[in-house]
């Protein structure tokens, strides 16, 4: 029987500690959200109940939490759609080298290394100095795109670098127009990657704090509302909110993964049917 080296067990312990460090706070918040009615924000727990979840759904108990959730959700969808569309267009454009493409690429990536709070401050100042209202759907939307677009473009660059152009050539040989090639050939092939870009766009926008702090105007998004609650909420209702938002985020991820699985299964079935037809 082959024995494992000592380094294997050392690295295993290190990995387990890393997972505990990574997910421990989230698990702790989830546990504390089930405190009894007399429970507090720390251990030991004083009974278990769903009291704080019921309290969360009382509008007066948590301020504008549901309004901030709807704003974050709407903003996340806006950012997601824009990120997908622009990323696909950018990926298609960068397949052919054009004047200034390298400079443009580095300008896009630069926004990832600039401190987020400076981006928020800069976008907020541009809007206010231009006489435009600072609002989550305008300046906040623009600030968040500086965060999501680079990720979407990097994904699409990687996808199109591996893209086999022979599929497009075959479609053109069969008389397909440029739009038909994109619609019926390119987009179906890169569809799983588009789901990944969409997931990045929504999740990065939904929980973004720093780039929204100075660009949301007088209406908070969900991360800003939660941050505001930490200064005046001293009950586990805050943990209940954190648990629900985490479950919502995980549900969105599972939904996107399910869509990717269905797309891959459909593609495999179509390929199998095509193979049988050729036989």
């Amino acid at each position: 029987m082959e024995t494992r080296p000592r380094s294997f067990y050392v690295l295993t312990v290190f990995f387990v500690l890393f997972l505990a460090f990574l997910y421990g706070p989230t698990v702790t918040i989830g546990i504390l959200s089930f405190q009894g009615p007399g429970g507090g924000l720390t251990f030991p727990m004083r009974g278990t109940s769903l009291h704080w979840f019921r309290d969360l759904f009382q509008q007066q108990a948590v301020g504008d939490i549901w309004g901030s959730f709807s704003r974050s959700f709407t903003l996340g969808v806006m950012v997601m759609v824009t990120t997908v569309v622009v990323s696909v267009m950018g990926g298609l454009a960068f397949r052919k080298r054009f004047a200034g493409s390298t400079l443009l690429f580095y300008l896009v990536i630069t926004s990832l290394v600039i401190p987020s709070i400076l981006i928020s401050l800069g976008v907020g100042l541009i809007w206010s100095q231009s006489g435009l209202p600072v609002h989550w759907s305008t300046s906040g939307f623009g600030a968040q795109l500086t965060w999501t677009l680079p990720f979407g473009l990097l994904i699409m660059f990687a996808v199109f670098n591996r893209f086999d152009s022979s599929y497009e050539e075959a479609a053109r040989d069969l008389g397909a127009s440029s739009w038909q090639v994109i619609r019926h050939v390119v987009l179906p092939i890169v569809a799983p990657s588009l789901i990944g870009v969409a997931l990045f766009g929504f999740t990065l926008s939904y929980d973004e704090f720093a780039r929204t702090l100075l660009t949301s105007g007088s209406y908070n998004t969900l991360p800003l509302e939660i941050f505001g609650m930490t200064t005046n909420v001293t009950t586990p209702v805050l943990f209940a909110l954190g648990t629900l938002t985490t479950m919502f985020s995980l549900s969105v991820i599972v939904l996107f993964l399910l869509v990717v699985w269905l797309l891959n299964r459909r593609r495999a079935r179509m390929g199998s049917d095509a193979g049988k037809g050729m036989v």
Side-chain angles (χ1 to χ4, degrees):
M1 181 177 179
E2 183 180 356
T3 58
R4 297 184 184 273
R6 182 178 301 178
S7 59
F8 171 81
Y9 299 101
V10 174
L11 292 176
T12 300
V13 172
F14 178 79
F15 181 69
V16 171
L17 291 176
F18 171 75
L19 290 179
F21 172 78
L22 194 63
Y23 296 105
T26 303
V27 174
T28 301
I29 287 176
I31 294 174
L32 289 175
S33 64
F34 292 96
Q35 286 264 26
L41 296 175
T42 59
F43 288 107
M45 294 179 63
R46 299 178 181 176
T48 57
S49 71
L50 297 176
H51 170 80
W52 302 110
F53 289 94
R54 290 192 295 268
D55 195 27
L56 178 63
F57 283 88
Q58 297 177 2
Q59 181 71 19
Q60 66 274 15
V62 290
D64 191 32
I65 191 64
W66 300 115
S68 63
F69 169 77
S70 65
R71 286 188 285 273
S72 282
F73 182 82
T74 303
L75 183 57
V77 173
M78 292 168 54
V79 171
M80 177 187 70
V81 173
T82 305
T83 300
V84 170
V85 173
V86 175
S87 296
V88 172
M89 295 173 64
L92 291 172
F94 272 85
R95 294 180 71 187
K96 298 181 179 180
R97 292 293 181 180
F98 55 89
S101 60
T102 302
L103 176 62
L104 181 59
F105 171 78
Y106 285 113
L107 286 176
V108 171
I109 302 304
T110 300
S111 65
L112 293 178
V113 299
I114 298 176
S116 298
I117 192 66
L118 293 183
I119 296 289
S120 179
L121 177 61
V123 173
L125 286 176
I126 290 175
W127 246 258
S128 60
Q129 293 300 316
S130 301
L132 301 173
V134 178
H135 194 264
W136 60 269
S137 63
T138 55
S139 54
F141 173 65
Q144 290 196 3
L145 285 178
T146 65
W147 180 233
T148 61
L149 279 178
F151 285 103
L153 288 171
L154 287 174
I155 293 175
M156 295 314 302
F157 289 165
V159 170
F160 282 118
N161 281 338
R162 303 191 307 267
F163 192 86
D164 189 352
S165 59
S166 62
Y167 295 112
E168 298 169 276
E169 296 173 1
R172 293 191 185 96
D173 291 340
L174 293 174
S177 64
S178 298
W179 169 244
Q180 288 175 325
V181 171
I182 293 176
R183 179 182 177 185
H184 297 291
V185 178
V186 176
L187 291 182
I189 292 176
V190 302
S193 300
L194 296 183
I195 300 298
V197 173
L199 180 60
F200 262 110
F202 182 84
T203 55
L204 290 176
S205 168
Y206 179 73
D207 63 2
E208 176 58 28
F209 174 81
R211 296 183 189 235
T212 319
L213 180 61
L214 302 176
T215 58
S216 64
S218 56
Y219 295 97
N220 285 339
T221 58
L222 185 60
L224 298 180
E225 188 71 19
I226 293 176
F227 176 75
M229 289 174 61
T230 60
T231 62
N232 53 38
V233 177
T234 57
T235 63
V237 69
L238 183 60
F239 294 152
L241 174 60
T243 300
L244 289 181
T245 55
T246 300
M247 295 303 298
F248 175 77
S249 299
L250 291 177
S251 299
V252 171
I253 294 174
V254 171
L255 176 62
F256 275 85
L257 292 177
L258 178 61
V259 172
V260 171
W261 179 76
L262 291 174
L263 288 174
N264 288 332
R265 185 178 180 183
R266 179 185 178 187
R267 180 190 297 178
R269 185 170 60 250
M270 292 176 63
S272 176
D273 293 341
K276 293 179 180 178
M278 293 179 62
V279 174

